[in-house]
Amino acid sequence: MPLSTPFGDNATSQCEIAAQHLLANLQSDALPASDLAETVAGALSHPEGFPDLADASVPGDIILFAFGKEVTDVEEVARGVIHYAQQANLADRQFQFLLPSDAPAPVVESLKQVVAPLGDSVEVLVHQPHDQKANSFLTSTQENRAIILNRHLCDADVVVPVGVARREGGFNTFGAFSSLYPAYSDIDSQKRWNSPLFVTRPQRRKRRTAEIEEIRQLLGIAVNCLLLPARGGGYSHAIYGEASQVQALAGQQLAEHWQPSVSNLAGAVIALVTGGQLGQTWENAAKALANVEDLVRPGGAIILATEIRQRPGLAMAQMAESLEFTDFESLMRKSRSEDAAIALQFAKTLSQCKIYFRSALSEDILDQLDLIPVESDEECRKICEHYQDVVVVHDAQSMSLRLAESGLPS
């Protein structure tokens, strides 16, 4: 049967898979919001278990919205904030929109245009992890580590983190406030956090999550704003309000729309990475691998369908030079490369199964990474025919999959 599967930046695969070989075609039913700005404005107007910003602030207060690195539709979210601020008559407050250090310049300039209606009452900021003057010492953690954060984050009267809802324990996810730290810390803290051992050591993950929670409490942040992923990329809902209630509601939505089960292990899993060009990243590819790797039986394969154009980083190149996964894990123990966790996830999956890779990269680059290039729908069909039983996972970077008999997330 012909199977039309969207992936990448508006690409579509037309892969022919025999009906008897297709175990499951998994796709969320969470559709993109028809107007994300209005969705965000509505969430701010009707917070969960907390006063709205008009009542939770006083004239002259600085209200700072800090965007997580995962948030790709910054302009529309900000447009919703502006709509809310105008409707609530908050002209006597100061608004700040804080972006991560790697925010693309066109996005920054576009955001400035979006928030311009607030005039002198609004400011767009880009974090500078290398600039000591742009960051402040907050305090030390219980482990006696210095907490250095963006100065505006420390000085704001009200901080509203804006992140994307993810399941607990997902790749590079450390609780509901992982959008804040280390993204808005100094460069030394960011390098320390580049250690990738959380991929293979759950205790490291717990320590990171606890550290972020401690920072949240020290900053006095009581609220959160989480965006729910939508099928094909984008966002379906926004939830704003008291942090624990937001997290609970987001968890319910994820369980309902993003946590399907499959009855059996598959010989091959087709993992489709979506989200437009901004979603075509090595990190999203690693998330997809982490989400689907436990569905593949021994000796099986994962077909990653992406349109990644960016060359792999330093740690990925080191992965290609290691003969055994245990050797590479030892090497990564001291690594502070930005892509160290991504490389360790790829290495972990490769130690379990083959990875076929569809991307905009050259065959030479993929060969160096021990990834098998896939260049056409016909090649994909042949791979599926070889492994016979196939599971297709749409939006694999957002899915949380489990085997029906175990009930445990993959």
Side-chain angles (χ1 to χ4, degrees):
M1 59 180 289
L3 194 64
S4 179
T5 53
F7 70 94
D9 184 13
N10 205 30
T12 301
S13 172
Q14 300 288 343
C15 189
E16 188 83 21
I17 301 176
Q20 66 270 25
H21 293 160
L22 185 62
L23 293 182
N25 183 22
L26 303 175
Q27 188 171 27
S28 173
D29 59 358
L31 299 177
S34 58
D35 188 331
L36 181 58
E38 287 304 314
T39 298
V40 171
L44 293 173
S45 299
H46 301 90
E48 302 291 341
F50 203 82
D52 69 11
L53 286 172
D55 295 323
S57 62
V58 297
D61 272 357
I62 297 174
I63 302 173
L64 182 145
F65 285 79
F67 289 89
K69 298 179 75 170
E70 281 189 309
V71 179
T72 56
D73 210 347
V74 170
E75 297 97 320
E76 284 306 301
V77 175
R79 203 183 308 276
V81 175
I82 300 305
H83 288 179
Y84 165 77
Q86 292 174 327
Q87 292 168 358
N89 296 316
L90 296 182
D92 53 1
R93 274 70 159 178
Q94 295 291 316
F95 285 84
Q96 294 178 337
F97 294 87
L98 180 60
L99 298 176
S101 58
D102 59 355
V107 171
V108 177
E109 292 306 312
S110 177
L111 181 59
K112 290 178 179 179
Q113 297 300 316
V114 167
V115 303
L118 291 186
D120 294 335
S121 298
V122 67
E123 190 176 6
V124 173
L125 308 164
V126 179
H127 180 55
Q128 304 294 331
H130 293 86
D131 186 354
Q132 292 184 350
K133 294 181 180 179
N135 299 288
S136 297
F137 172 77
L138 181 63
T139 186
S140 296
T141 67
Q142 293 179 356
E143 295 183 345
N144 202 32
R145 295 187 184 277
I147 300 175
I148 299 175
L149 295 170
N150 182 279
R151 176 171 54 83
H152 298 283
L153 194 62
C154 297
D155 293 344
D157 298 292
V158 179
V159 174
V160 181
V162 182
V164 179
R166 301 293 183 196
R167 73 170 176 89
E168 290 295 323
F171 177 86
N172 225 7
T173 299
F174 308 97
F177 291 91
S178 55
S179 60
L180 286 179
Y181 192 85
Y184 291 114
S185 62
D186 66 313
I187 189 61
D188 291 334
S189 299
Q190 291 183 354
K191 286 180 178 179
R192 174 172 66 85
W193 269 62
N194 282 340
S195 173
L197 294 185
F198 71 86
V199 172
T200 53
R201 303 186 183 185
Q203 193 60 32
R204 292 291 185 100
R205 183 189 303 276
K206 291 180 181 178
R207 284 169 54 188
R208 284 192 173 194
T209 303
E211 186 172 343
I212 292 175
E213 174 59 19
E214 184 179 356
I215 291 170
R216 177 195 73 80
Q217 293 178 13
L218 290 168
L219 284 172
I221 299 175
V223 297
N224 201 5
C225 180
L226 290 177
L227 306 172
L228 277 298
R231 186 170 76 189
Y235 307 106
S236 60
H237 294 88
I239 307 174
Y240 166 75
E242 192 276 325
S244 63
Q245 293 195 36
V246 169
Q247 180 69 356
L249 289 170
Q252 293 172 12
Q253 290 285 318
L254 291 175
E256 181 178 351
H257 300 290
W258 289 98
Q259 295 180 5
S261 62
V262 295
S263 56
N264 297 296
L265 294 175
V269 173
I270 300 177
L272 304 153
V273 176
T274 54
Q277 187 52 46
L278 289 177
Q280 303 310 295
T281 65
W282 285 100
E283 179 163 346
N284 273 347
K287 288 178 182 177
L289 290 178
N291 288 340
V292 307
E293 64 183 2
D294 290 340
L295 299 184
V296 184
R297 66 169 182 256
I302 295 172
I303 305 171
L304 261 181
T306 79
E307 283 194 304
I308 290 175
R309 293 178 169 84
Q310 182 183 13
R311 292 178 64 90
L314 176 61
M316 288 289 286
Q318 291 175 310
M319 179 191 74
E321 299 170 0
S322 297
L323 297 178
E324 299 290 341
F325 172 65
T326 53
D327 295 338
F328 184 63
E329 184 183 20
S330 297
L331 178 65
M332 287 294 99
R333 188 173 300 168
K334 297 182 180 179
S335 174
R336 295 299 180 265
S337 297
E338 290 185 8
D339 66 328
I342 295 169
L344 190 57
Q345 179 60 57
F346 266 82
K348 178 173 177 283
T349 305
L350 278 169
S351 71
Q352 301 170 204
C353 64
K354 292 181 178 179
I355 300 178
Y356 293 86
F357 204 79
R358 192 164 188 173
S359 71
L361 296 170
S362 70
E363 184 174 335
D364 288 344
I365 291 175
L366 298 181
D367 283 343
Q368 293 171 13
L369 299 175
D370 205 21
L371 305 176
I372 306 170
V374 178
E375 296 186 357
S376 68
D377 294 341
E378 177 61 16
E379 288 186 22
C380 184
R381 182 194 67 77
K382 290 179 179 179
I383 296 167
C384 293
E385 190 176 74
H386 171 75
Y387 288 100
Q388 295 193 345
D389 43 354
V390 179
V391 170
V392 178
V393 182
H394 298 254
D395 307 292
Q397 75 278 6
S398 298
M399 280 288 191
S400 176
L401 304 162
R402 64 187 186 276
L403 291 173
E405 63 266 26
S406 70
L408 297 175
S410 66

